Amino acid sequence: MGQALIEAAVAASDLDIASALDVEGSPFLAHDAGERFGHTTGVLVGTDIDAAVSAADVLIDFTRPAGTMAHIAACARHHVAAVIGTTGLDLSQQADLGAYAKVIPIVYAPNMSVGVNVLRDLVERAAGVLGPAYDIEIVEMHHKHKVDAPSGTALQLGKAAAAGRGIDFASNVLYAREGDVGARKPETIGFATLRGGDVVGEHTVIFAGAGERIELTHRATSRQNFAAGALRAARFVAAKRNDGLTGLLDMRGVLGLG
């Protein structure tokens, strides 16, 4: 995602790359951030978090939870806005994001794709209209290197379905089935997780009723759609920062979906 973000930012006439971060030992360290794409940005990839953050208006972060929390703490210190696409944050880390959002504006979304966030809105609406006569199942597939399951996007889709249905997500979710599990319980939101190959990301929400089935699917074929959404979020949150506003936002807010 870091490479996709750099490529997208280089192509954007209204944005400049202020700095670029990577982990110790990365082969990209001390190289120009745009080198891989034949561009010279004048920005060398480094590891100094405070120096990188303080040079920017907005940090875009797609890393791991521990790295994200270190980066967002630096954003709060330097009053820099943030766009967070990292998945796998636990409840404590999400609470910390909320605390930092009292100081700076933050867009936090497990999936920055515009299409996925429109899908989330459609899922919530469909769940409400179809009602309890339709069982809800969510199937997701990602590349073999993805470390968390179900994906953060799948969980957000499940929560959208629960909100539309008017039920509590945590008490109705079912993450796996094995053995003699018995008949399906009413209002269950089931998940199936697939991992393999180089799949960028696929999510399908199934509403299964008597005599018919509705499937809402999003397939990502490139990470550029995530990068485009992240840059859209960066523009949005930069304006919030410039207006002196704070708060924890999501892509629905960025897209005006409510």
Side-chain angles (χ1 to χ4, degrees), residues 74-256:
C75 286
R77 288 194 295 271
H78 297 284
H79 295 280
V80 171
V83 173
I84 306 299
T86 302
T87 61
L89 299 186
D90 61 29
L91 292 177
S92 175
Q93 290 165 332
Q94 291 179 40
D96 287 342
L97 277 190
Y100 288 127
K102 295 178 181 179
V103 181
I104 57 173
I106 300 171
V107 172
Y108 169 53
N111 193 312
M112 295 286 173
S113 162
V114 172
V116 159
N117 282 281
V118 171
L119 172 63
R120 180 181 169 187
D121 189 63
L122 293 173
V123 166
E124 184 170 341
R125 295 186 191 186
V129 172
L130 294 172
Y134 289 75
D135 298 322
I136 302 172
E137 295 286 321
I138 299 172
V139 181
E140 62 101 340
M141 183 171 186
H142 284 82
H143 55 87
K144 61 186 178 182
H145 301 294
K146 187 169 179 60
V147 297
D148 56 313
S151 70
T153 300
L155 293 174
Q156 289 298 312
L157 292 171
K159 291 174 182 177
R165 187 63 58 86
I167 60 175
D168 178 64
F169 175 75
S171 59
N172 288 285
V173 67
L174 181 64
Y175 291 118
R177 296 182 178 96
E178 182 180 4
D180 186 2
V181 297
R184 193 183 198 282
K185 296 180 181 179
E187 302 291 17
T188 297
I189 298 176
F191 285 83
T193 297
L194 309 177
R195 294 287 179 266
D198 61 355
V199 177
V200 175
E202 297 183 3
H203 296 85
T204 296
V205 181
I206 302 167
F207 295 93
E212 66 177 0
R213 185 171 73 246
I214 299 169
E215 298 183 4
L216 299 175
T217 298
H218 178 273
R219 294 186 178 91
T221 57
S222 165
R223 288 182 175 80
Q224 283 305 317
N225 69 94
F226 305 128
L231 295 190
R232 189 164 172 173
R235 295 181 181 97
F236 177 85
V237 80
K240 295 289 184 185
R241 172 183 180 265
N242 292 340
D243 291 338
L245 300 176
T246 62
L248 185 59
L249 310 158
D250 61 15
M251 283 299 289
R252 297 186 73 183
V254 174
L255 301 175

